[in-house]
Amino acid sequence: MDDFRTLDRLRRTRENLDLRLSVIECFQWDGEDDGSADELRRMIDEISEDITRLETKTV
């Protein structure tokens, strides 16, 4: 049961980060980048990997 809760939390976190990334990308002008978009992409990738591992484990 804990795995399913964790999986749900990870999915919601990834959705939240995807939304934040979209907002950041919308407000970056002419190539301005403070690194926050890259950091979010890295976090999203790590969470996606965690989700894949957990999905494999729970199926």
Side-chain angles (χ1 to χ4, degrees):
M1 189 61 109
D2 287 336
D3 287 343
F4 291 110
R5 285 189 202 136
T6 302
L7 190 55
D8 184 53
R9 276 188 242 130
L10 286 171
R11 287 179 178 147
R12 283 186 278 137
T13 301
R14 182 177 59 187
E15 289 172 9
N16 188 359
L17 291 174
D18 282 334
L19 179 60
R20 288 180 187 191
L21 179 59
S22 297
V23 170
I24 287 172
E25 290 174 339
C26 286
F27 287 100
Q28 287 179 345
W29 295 280
D30 299 325
E32 290 181 23
D33 187 3
D34 63 358
S36 57
D38 290 337
E39 179 65 22
L40 281 176
R41 284 186 199 99
R42 189 169 39 257
M43 291 171 66
I44 290 167
D45 289 344
E46 290 173 5
I47 289 171
S48 294
E49 290 172 8
D50 291 344
I51 289 171
T52 300
R53 276 193 295 277
L54 198 52
E55 285 174 337
T56 303
K57 179 181 173 185
T58 57
V59 173

Short mmCIF file of all heavy atoms in Angstrom, two decimals:
data_model
loop_
_atom_site.label_atom_id
_atom_site.label_comp_id
_atom_site.label_asym_id
_atom_site.label_seq_id
_atom_site.Cartn_x
_atom_site.Cartn_y
_atom_site.Cartn_z
N MET A 1 0.83 -1.19 0.00
CA MET A 1 0.00 0.00 0.00
C MET A 1 0.87 1.26 0.00
O MET A 1 0.54 2.22 -0.66
CB MET A 1 -0.93 -0.04 1.20
CG MET A 1 -1.96 1.07 1.16
SD MET A 1 -3.05 0.98 -0.26
CE MET A 1 -4.53 0.49 0.52
N ASP A 2 1.96 1.24 0.74
CA ASP A 2 2.85 2.41 0.77
C ASP A 2 3.43 2.72 -0.60
O ASP A 2 3.62 3.88 -0.94
CB ASP A 2 3.98 2.19 1.77
CG ASP A 2 3.49 2.28 3.21
OD1 ASP A 2 2.45 2.93 3.44
OD2 ASP A 2 4.14 1.69 4.09
N ASP A 3 3.72 1.67 -1.38
CA ASP A 3 4.25 1.88 -2.72
C ASP A 3 3.26 2.64 -3.59
O ASP A 3 3.65 3.51 -4.37
CB ASP A 3 4.60 0.55 -3.39
CG ASP A 3 5.85 -0.08 -2.79
OD1 ASP A 3 6.62 0.63 -2.11
OD2 ASP A 3 6.07 -1.28 -3.02
N PHE A 4 1.99 2.34 -3.46
CA PHE A 4 0.98 3.03 -4.25
C PHE A 4 0.86 4.49 -3.84
O PHE A 4 0.71 5.38 -4.69
CB PHE A 4 -0.38 2.33 -4.16
CG PHE A 4 -0.40 1.00 -4.85
CD1 PHE A 4 -0.47 -0.17 -4.11
CD2 PHE A 4 -0.31 0.91 -6.23
CE1 PHE A 4 -0.47 -1.40 -4.74
CE2 PHE A 4 -0.32 -0.32 -6.87
CZ PHE A 4 -0.40 -1.48 -6.13
N ARG A 5 0.95 4.76 -2.56
CA ARG A 5 0.92 6.16 -2.09
C ARG A 5 2.14 6.92 -2.57
O ARG A 5 2.05 8.07 -3.00
CB ARG A 5 0.86 6.20 -0.56
CG ARG A 5 -0.49 5.85 -0.02
CD ARG A 5 -0.55 6.11 1.47
NE ARG A 5 -1.62 5.31 2.04
CZ ARG A 5 -1.53 4.62 3.14
NH1 ARG A 5 -0.43 4.62 3.86
NH2 ARG A 5 -2.55 3.90 3.58
N THR A 6 3.29 6.28 -2.48
CA THR A 6 4.52 6.91 -2.95
C THR A 6 4.44 7.19 -4.44
O THR A 6 4.81 8.27 -4.90
CB THR A 6 5.73 6.01 -2.64
OG1 THR A 6 5.78 5.77 -1.23
CG2 THR A 6 7.02 6.64 -3.11
N LEU A 7 3.95 6.24 -5.19
CA LEU A 7 3.80 6.39 -6.64
C LEU A 7 2.87 7.56 -6.96
O LEU A 7 3.18 8.39 -7.82
CB LEU A 7 3.27 5.09 -7.24
CG LEU A 7 3.25 4.95 -8.74
CD1 LEU A 7 4.62 5.19 -9.34
CD2 LEU A 7 2.73 3.58 -9.12
N ASP A 8 1.78 7.66 -6.24
CA ASP A 8 0.85 8.77 -6.45
C ASP A 8 1.51 10.10 -6.13
O ASP A 8 1.38 11.07 -6.89
CB ASP A 8 -0.40 8.55 -5.58
CG ASP A 8 -1.45 9.60 -5.83
OD1 ASP A 8 -1.83 9.80 -7.01
OD2 ASP A 8 -1.90 10.24 -4.85
N ARG A 9 2.24 10.17 -5.04
CA ARG A 9 2.93 11.41 -4.66
C ARG A 9 3.98 11.80 -5.70
O ARG A 9 4.12 12.97 -6.05
CB ARG A 9 3.60 11.26 -3.29
CG ARG A 9 2.64 11.54 -2.16
CD ARG A 9 3.37 11.59 -0.83
NE ARG A 9 2.82 10.51 -0.04
CZ ARG A 9 3.50 9.59 0.60
NH1 ARG A 9 4.80 9.61 0.61
NH2 ARG A 9 2.90 8.64 1.26
N LEU A 10 4.71 10.81 -6.19
CA LEU A 10 5.72 11.09 -7.21
C LEU A 10 5.08 11.61 -8.49
O LEU A 10 5.59 12.55 -9.11
CB LEU A 10 6.54 9.83 -7.51
CG LEU A 10 7.55 9.42 -6.46
CD1 LEU A 10 8.13 8.04 -6.79
CD2 LEU A 10 8.66 10.44 -6.35
N ARG A 11 3.98 11.02 -8.88
CA ARG A 11 3.28 11.48 -10.09
C ARG A 11 2.78 12.92 -9.92
O ARG A 11 2.91 13.73 -10.84
CB ARG A 11 2.12 10.56 -10.42
CG ARG A 11 2.57 9.23 -10.99
CD ARG A 11 1.38 8.35 -11.27
NE ARG A 11 1.80 7.08 -11.86
CZ ARG A 11 1.19 5.93 -11.66
NH1 ARG A 11 0.12 5.87 -10.88
NH2 ARG A 11 1.64 4.83 -12.23
N ARG A 12 2.22 13.23 -8.77
CA ARG A 12 1.74 14.59 -8.53
C ARG A 12 2.90 15.58 -8.49
O ARG A 12 2.80 16.69 -9.01
CB ARG A 12 0.93 14.66 -7.23
CG ARG A 12 -0.48 14.10 -7.42
CD ARG A 12 -1.33 14.29 -6.19
NE ARG A 12 -1.01 13.20 -5.27
CZ ARG A 12 -0.83 13.33 -3.96
NH1 ARG A 12 -0.96 14.50 -3.39
NH2 ARG A 12 -0.55 12.30 -3.20
N THR A 13 4.01 15.17 -7.91
CA THR A 13 5.19 16.03 -7.87
C THR A 13 5.71 16.31 -9.27
O THR A 13 6.04 17.44 -9.61
CB THR A 13 6.30 15.39 -7.01
OG1 THR A 13 5.80 15.19 -5.69
CG2 THR A 13 7.54 16.25 -6.98
N ARG A 14 5.75 15.26 -10.09
CA ARG A 14 6.21 15.44 -11.47
C ARG A 14 5.29 16.38 -12.25
O ARG A 14 5.75 17.25 -12.97
CB ARG A 14 6.32 14.09 -12.19
CG ARG A 14 6.85 14.22 -13.62
CD ARG A 14 7.03 12.90 -14.30
NE ARG A 14 5.76 12.19 -14.36
CZ ARG A 14 5.63 10.95 -14.79
NH1 ARG A 14 6.68 10.27 -15.19
NH2 ARG A 14 4.46 10.37 -14.82
N GLU A 15 3.99 16.23 -12.07
CA GLU A 15 3.04 17.13 -12.73
C GLU A 15 3.26 18.57 -12.30
O GLU A 15 3.24 19.49 -13.11
CB GLU A 15 1.61 16.70 -12.43
CG GLU A 15 1.19 15.43 -13.11
CD GLU A 15 -0.16 14.92 -12.64
OE1 GLU A 15 -0.86 15.65 -11.91
OE2 GLU A 15 -0.52 13.79 -13.01
N ASN A 16 3.49 18.77 -11.00
CA ASN A 16 3.74 20.10 -10.46
C ASN A 16 5.01 20.70 -11.06
O ASN A 16 5.05 21.86 -11.45
CB ASN A 16 3.82 20.03 -8.94
CG ASN A 16 3.88 21.38 -8.29
OD1 ASN A 16 3.88 22.41 -8.94
ND2 ASN A 16 3.95 21.38 -6.98
N LEU A 17 6.06 19.89 -11.13
CA LEU A 17 7.32 20.38 -11.69
C LEU A 17 7.18 20.67 -13.18
O LEU A 17 7.76 21.64 -13.68
CB LEU A 17 8.44 19.36 -11.44
CG LEU A 17 8.88 19.20 -9.99
CD1 LEU A 17 9.89 18.06 -9.88
CD2 LEU A 17 9.43 20.48 -9.43
N ASP A 18 6.42 19.84 -13.90
CA ASP A 18 6.18 20.10 -15.32
C ASP A 18 5.49 21.45 -15.51
O ASP A 18 5.83 22.21 -16.42
CB ASP A 18 5.31 19.00 -15.94
CG ASP A 18 6.08 17.73 -16.25
OD1 ASP A 18 7.30 17.80 -16.45
OD2 ASP A 18 5.43 16.66 -16.30
N LEU A 19 4.53 21.74 -14.66
CA LEU A 19 3.82 23.01 -14.72
C LEU A 19 4.78 24.17 -14.44
O LEU A 19 4.79 25.18 -15.15
CB LEU A 19 2.66 23.02 -13.73
CG LEU A 19 1.83 24.30 -13.68
CD1 LEU A 19 1.21 24.61 -15.03
CD2 LEU A 19 0.75 24.17 -12.63
N ARG A 20 5.60 24.04 -13.41
CA ARG A 20 6.57 25.08 -13.09
C ARG A 20 7.54 25.31 -14.25
O ARG A 20 7.89 26.45 -14.58
CB ARG A 20 7.36 24.73 -11.84
CG ARG A 20 6.56 24.82 -10.58
CD ARG A 20 7.41 24.46 -9.39
NE ARG A 20 6.60 24.40 -8.19
CZ ARG A 20 7.11 24.32 -6.99
NH1 ARG A 20 8.41 24.28 -6.82
NH2 ARG A 20 6.33 24.27 -5.94
N LEU A 21 7.98 24.22 -14.86
CA LEU A 21 8.90 24.32 -15.99
C LEU A 21 8.23 25.07 -17.15
O LEU A 21 8.85 25.94 -17.77
CB LEU A 21 9.35 22.93 -16.44
CG LEU A 21 10.30 22.87 -17.63
CD1 LEU A 21 11.57 23.66 -17.35
CD2 LEU A 21 10.61 21.43 -17.97
N SER A 22 6.99 24.78 -17.41
CA SER A 22 6.26 25.48 -18.47
C SER A 22 6.19 26.97 -18.21
O SER A 22 6.38 27.79 -19.11
CB SER A 22 4.84 24.92 -18.61
OG SER A 22 4.87 23.58 -18.99
N VAL A 23 5.93 27.33 -16.97
CA VAL A 23 5.85 28.75 -16.61
C VAL A 23 7.21 29.41 -16.79
O VAL A 23 7.32 30.51 -17.36
CB VAL A 23 5.35 28.92 -15.16
CG1 VAL A 23 5.49 30.36 -14.69
CG2 VAL A 23 3.90 28.47 -15.05
N ILE A 24 8.26 28.76 -16.33
CA ILE A 24 9.61 29.33 -16.46
C ILE A 24 9.95 29.52 -17.94
O ILE A 24 10.47 30.56 -18.34
CB ILE A 24 10.66 28.44 -15.77
CG1 ILE A 24 10.53 28.58 -14.25
CG2 ILE A 24 12.08 28.80 -16.21
CD1 ILE A 24 11.37 27.60 -13.47
N GLU A 25 9.67 28.51 -18.76
CA GLU A 25 9.98 28.60 -20.18
C GLU A 25 9.19 29.71 -20.86
O GLU A 25 9.70 30.37 -21.77
CB GLU A 25 9.73 27.26 -20.86
CG GLU A 25 10.74 26.21 -20.46
CD GLU A 25 10.44 24.83 -21.01
OE1 GLU A 25 9.28 24.55 -21.37
OE2 GLU A 25 11.39 24.03 -21.06
N CYS A 26 7.98 29.96 -20.43
CA CYS A 26 7.16 31.03 -21.00
C CYS A 26 7.73 32.41 -20.69
O CYS A 26 7.57 33.34 -21.49
CB CYS A 26 5.73 30.96 -20.48
SG CYS A 26 4.77 29.63 -21.19
N PHE A 27 8.38 32.56 -19.55
CA PHE A 27 8.85 33.87 -19.13
C PHE A 27 10.34 34.11 -19.36
O PHE A 27 10.88 35.11 -18.92
CB PHE A 27 8.50 34.11 -17.66
CG PHE A 27 7.04 34.37 -17.46
CD1 PHE A 27 6.20 33.34 -17.02
CD2 PHE A 27 6.49 35.60 -17.73
CE1 PHE A 27 4.84 33.57 -16.86
CE2 PHE A 27 5.14 35.83 -17.58
CZ PHE A 27 4.31 34.81 -17.14
N GLN A 28 10.98 33.19 -20.06
CA GLN A 28 12.38 33.41 -20.40
C GLN A 28 12.44 34.17 -21.73
O GLN A 28 11.86 33.74 -22.72
CB GLN A 28 13.14 32.09 -20.54
CG GLN A 28 13.40 31.44 -19.21
CD GLN A 28 14.14 30.12 -19.36
OE1 GLN A 28 14.21 29.55 -20.44
NE2 GLN A 28 14.67 29.63 -18.26
N TRP A 29 13.11 35.29 -21.72
CA TRP A 29 13.18 36.11 -22.92
C TRP A 29 14.56 36.02 -23.55
O TRP A 29 15.58 36.07 -22.87
CB TRP A 29 12.91 37.57 -22.58
CG TRP A 29 11.53 37.81 -22.09
CD1 TRP A 29 10.41 37.93 -22.87
CD2 TRP A 29 11.10 37.93 -20.74
NE1 TRP A 29 9.32 38.13 -22.07
CE2 TRP A 29 9.70 38.14 -20.76
CE3 TRP A 29 11.74 37.89 -19.51
CZ2 TRP A 29 8.95 38.31 -19.62
CZ3 TRP A 29 11.01 38.05 -18.37
CH2 TRP A 29 9.62 38.27 -18.43
N ASP A 30 14.58 35.91 -24.87
CA ASP A 30 15.82 35.99 -25.65
C ASP A 30 16.96 35.17 -25.07
O ASP A 30 18.08 35.65 -24.94
CB ASP A 30 16.26 37.45 -25.80
CG ASP A 30 15.23 38.30 -26.52
OD1 ASP A 30 14.58 37.76 -27.44
OD2 ASP A 30 15.07 39.47 -26.16
N GLY A 31 16.66 33.96 -24.71
CA GLY A 31 17.72 33.06 -24.25
C GLY A 31 18.19 33.29 -22.83
O GLY A 31 19.16 32.68 -22.40
N GLU A 32 17.54 34.19 -22.09
CA GLU A 32 17.91 34.38 -20.69
C GLU A 32 17.62 33.09 -19.93
O GLU A 32 16.54 32.55 -20.03
CB GLU A 32 17.11 35.52 -20.06
CG GLU A 32 17.47 36.89 -20.56
CD GLU A 32 16.65 37.96 -19.87
OE1 GLU A 32 16.16 37.72 -18.75
OE2 GLU A 32 16.50 39.03 -20.47
N ASP A 33 18.59 32.62 -19.20
CA ASP A 33 18.40 31.39 -18.44
C ASP A 33 19.24 31.45 -17.18
O ASP A 33 20.46 31.57 -17.25
CB ASP A 33 18.77 30.18 -19.29
CG ASP A 33 18.44 28.86 -18.62
OD1 ASP A 33 17.85 28.86 -17.53
OD2 ASP A 33 18.78 27.82 -19.20
N ASP A 34 18.59 31.36 -16.06
CA ASP A 34 19.32 31.39 -14.79
C ASP A 34 19.63 29.98 -14.28
O ASP A 34 20.09 29.80 -13.16
CB ASP A 34 18.54 32.18 -13.74
CG ASP A 34 17.20 31.54 -13.40
OD1 ASP A 34 16.86 30.51 -14.00
OD2 ASP A 34 16.50 32.09 -12.53
N GLY A 35 19.35 28.98 -15.09
CA GLY A 35 19.63 27.60 -14.70
C GLY A 35 18.47 26.90 -14.03
O GLY A 35 18.52 25.69 -13.82
N SER A 36 17.42 27.64 -13.70
CA SER A 36 16.30 27.02 -12.98
C SER A 36 15.56 26.01 -13.86
O SER A 36 15.10 24.98 -13.37
CB SER A 36 15.34 28.09 -12.45
OG SER A 36 14.88 28.91 -13.48
N ALA A 37 15.46 26.29 -15.15
CA ALA A 37 14.78 25.34 -16.05
C ALA A 37 15.57 24.03 -16.14
O ALA A 37 14.98 22.95 -16.11
CB ALA A 37 14.59 25.96 -17.43
N ASP A 38 16.87 24.14 -16.23
CA ASP A 38 17.71 22.93 -16.28
C ASP A 38 17.59 22.12 -15.01
O ASP A 38 17.52 20.88 -15.05
CB ASP A 38 19.18 23.30 -16.52
CG ASP A 38 19.42 23.83 -17.93
OD1 ASP A 38 18.63 23.52 -18.84
OD2 ASP A 38 20.41 24.56 -18.10
N GLU A 39 17.56 22.81 -13.88
CA GLU A 39 17.42 22.12 -12.59
C GLU A 39 16.07 21.39 -12.53
O GLU A 39 16.00 20.24 -12.07
CB GLU A 39 17.54 23.12 -11.44
CG GLU A 39 17.38 22.51 -10.07
CD GLU A 39 18.47 21.52 -9.71
OE1 GLU A 39 19.56 21.58 -10.28
OE2 GLU A 39 18.21 20.66 -8.85
N LEU A 40 15.00 22.04 -12.98
CA LEU A 40 13.69 21.39 -12.97
C LEU A 40 13.67 20.20 -13.91
O LEU A 40 13.10 19.16 -13.58
CB LEU A 40 12.59 22.39 -13.37
CG LEU A 40 12.13 23.33 -12.28
CD1 LEU A 40 11.12 24.33 -12.83
CD2 LEU A 40 11.52 22.58 -11.12
N ARG A 41 14.28 20.33 -15.08
CA ARG A 41 14.33 19.19 -16.02
C ARG A 41 15.05 18.00 -15.38
O ARG A 41 14.62 16.85 -15.53
CB ARG A 41 15.04 19.60 -17.31
CG ARG A 41 14.20 20.43 -18.22
CD ARG A 41 14.90 20.69 -19.56
NE ARG A 41 14.29 21.81 -20.21
CZ ARG A 41 14.78 23.06 -20.20
NH1 ARG A 41 15.91 23.33 -19.59
NH2 ARG A 41 14.13 24.03 -20.80
N ARG A 42 16.14 18.28 -14.69
CA ARG A 42 16.90 17.22 -14.02
C ARG A 42 16.03 16.56 -12.94
O ARG A 42 16.00 15.34 -12.82
CB ARG A 42 18.19 17.80 -13.44
CG ARG A 42 19.13 16.77 -12.91
CD ARG A 42 20.53 17.30 -12.56
NE ARG A 42 20.59 18.61 -11.95
CZ ARG A 42 20.95 19.75 -12.59
NH1 ARG A 42 21.24 19.70 -13.87
NH2 ARG A 42 20.99 20.90 -11.96
N MET A 43 15.33 17.37 -12.17
CA MET A 43 14.46 16.82 -11.12
C MET A 43 13.33 15.97 -11.73
O MET A 43 13.01 14.89 -11.21
CB MET A 43 13.87 17.95 -10.29
CG MET A 43 14.89 18.66 -9.42
SD MET A 43 14.24 20.15 -8.63
CE MET A 43 13.03 19.45 -7.52
N ILE A 44 12.75 16.45 -12.82
CA ILE A 44 11.68 15.71 -13.48
C ILE A 44 12.20 14.38 -14.00
O ILE A 44 11.54 13.35 -13.85
CB ILE A 44 11.07 16.56 -14.63
CG1 ILE A 44 10.28 17.74 -14.04
CG2 ILE A 44 10.18 15.70 -15.53
CD1 ILE A 44 9.90 18.80 -15.06
N ASP A 45 13.39 14.38 -14.58
CA ASP A 45 13.99 13.14 -15.07
C ASP A 45 14.22 12.14 -13.93
O ASP A 45 13.93 10.95 -14.06
CB ASP A 45 15.32 13.41 -15.79
CG ASP A 45 15.13 14.08 -17.13
OD1 ASP A 45 13.99 14.07 -17.66
OD2 ASP A 45 16.12 14.63 -17.66
N GLU A 46 14.73 12.64 -12.81
CA GLU A 46 14.98 11.76 -11.66
C GLU A 46 13.68 11.18 -11.12
O GLU A 46 13.60 9.99 -10.80
CB GLU A 46 15.72 12.52 -10.56
CG GLU A 46 17.15 12.85 -10.91
CD GLU A 46 17.82 13.74 -9.88
OE1 GLU A 46 17.21 14.03 -8.83
OE2 GLU A 46 18.96 14.16 -10.12
N ILE A 47 12.66 12.01 -11.02
CA ILE A 47 11.36 11.53 -10.52
C ILE A 47 10.76 10.54 -11.50
O ILE A 47 10.19 9.52 -11.09
CB ILE A 47 10.41 12.72 -10.26
CG1 ILE A 47 10.90 13.50 -9.03
CG2 ILE A 47 8.98 12.25 -10.06
CD1 ILE A 47 10.17 14.80 -8.80
N SER A 48 10.90 10.79 -12.79
CA SER A 48 10.38 9.85 -13.79
C SER A 48 11.05 8.49 -13.67
O SER A 48 10.39 7.45 -13.79
CB SER A 48 10.58 10.42 -15.20
OG SER A 48 9.80 11.58 -15.38
N GLU A 49 12.35 8.50 -13.41
CA GLU A 49 13.07 7.24 -13.21
C GLU A 49 12.56 6.52 -11.96
O GLU A 49 12.38 5.29 -11.97
CB GLU A 49 14.57 7.49 -13.10
CG GLU A 49 15.21 7.92 -14.40
CD GLU A 49 16.66 8.35 -14.22
OE1 GLU A 49 17.23 8.17 -13.12
OE2 GLU A 49 17.23 8.86 -15.19
N ASP A 50 12.34 7.27 -10.89
CA ASP A 50 11.80 6.68 -9.66
C ASP A 50 10.42 6.08 -9.90
O ASP A 50 10.10 5.00 -9.41
CB ASP A 50 11.73 7.72 -8.55
CG ASP A 50 13.08 8.15 -8.04
OD1 ASP A 50 14.08 7.45 -8.32
OD2 ASP A 50 13.15 9.21 -7.38
N ILE A 51 9.60 6.79 -10.66
CA ILE A 51 8.25 6.29 -10.97
C ILE A 51 8.33 4.99 -11.76
O ILE A 51 7.63 4.03 -11.45
CB ILE A 51 7.44 7.36 -11.74
CG1 ILE A 51 7.08 8.52 -10.82
CG2 ILE A 51 6.19 6.76 -12.38
CD1 ILE A 51 6.47 9.72 -11.53
N THR A 52 9.21 4.96 -12.75
CA THR A 52 9.37 3.75 -13.56
C THR A 52 9.80 2.56 -12.70
O THR A 52 9.26 1.46 -12.82
CB THR A 52 10.40 3.99 -14.70
OG1 THR A 52 9.92 5.07 -15.51
CG2 THR A 52 10.59 2.76 -15.54
N ARG A 53 10.78 2.80 -11.82
CA ARG A 53 11.24 1.71 -10.94
C ARG A 53 10.11 1.23 -10.02
O ARG A 53 9.91 0.03 -9.83
CB ARG A 53 12.42 2.19 -10.10
CG ARG A 53 13.75 2.09 -10.78
CD ARG A 53 14.90 2.26 -9.81
NE ARG A 53 14.97 3.59 -9.22
CZ ARG A 53 15.53 4.64 -9.79
NH1 ARG A 53 16.08 4.52 -10.97
NH2 ARG A 53 15.56 5.81 -9.19
N LEU A 54 9.37 2.17 -9.48
CA LEU A 54 8.29 1.81 -8.55
C LEU A 54 7.15 1.10 -9.28
O LEU A 54 6.58 0.14 -8.77
CB LEU A 54 7.78 3.04 -7.83
CG LEU A 54 6.98 2.85 -6.58
CD1 LEU A 54 7.71 1.93 -5.60
CD2 LEU A 54 6.69 4.17 -5.90
N GLU A 55 6.83 1.55 -10.49
CA GLU A 55 5.79 0.90 -11.28
C GLU A 55 6.18 -0.55 -11.59
O GLU A 55 5.35 -1.45 -11.52
CB GLU A 55 5.54 1.66 -12.59
CG GLU A 55 4.76 2.93 -12.41
CD GLU A 55 4.65 3.73 -13.68
OE1 GLU A 55 5.48 3.59 -14.60
OE2 GLU A 55 3.72 4.55 -13.75
N THR A 56 7.44 -0.74 -11.92
CA THR A 56 7.93 -2.09 -12.20
C THR A 56 7.83 -2.97 -10.96
O THR A 56 7.47 -4.14 -11.06
CB THR A 56 9.40 -2.03 -12.69
OG1 THR A 56 9.45 -1.19 -13.84
CG2 THR A 56 9.92 -3.41 -13.03
N LYS A 57 8.14 -2.41 -9.83
CA LYS A 57 8.12 -3.15 -8.57
C LYS A 57 6.69 -3.52 -8.16
O LYS A 57 6.46 -4.61 -7.62
CB LYS A 57 8.75 -2.29 -7.47
CG LYS A 57 8.79 -2.93 -6.11
CD LYS A 57 9.41 -1.98 -5.10
CE LYS A 57 9.31 -2.53 -3.70
NZ LYS A 57 9.80 -1.57 -2.71
N THR A 58 5.72 -2.64 -8.38
CA THR A 58 4.37 -2.86 -7.90
C THR A 58 3.50 -3.67 -8.85
O THR A 58 2.43 -4.12 -8.47
CB THR A 58 3.64 -1.52 -7.61
OG1 THR A 58 3.63 -0.73 -8.79
CG2 THR A 58 4.32 -0.78 -6.49
N VAL A 59 3.95 -3.85 -10.09
CA VAL A 59 3.14 -4.60 -11.06
C VAL A 59 3.37 -6.06 -10.96
O VAL A 59 4.04 -6.68 -10.38
CB VAL A 59 3.43 -4.13 -12.49
CG1 VAL A 59 2.74 -5.00 -13.51
CG2 VAL A 59 3.03 -2.69 -12.65
#
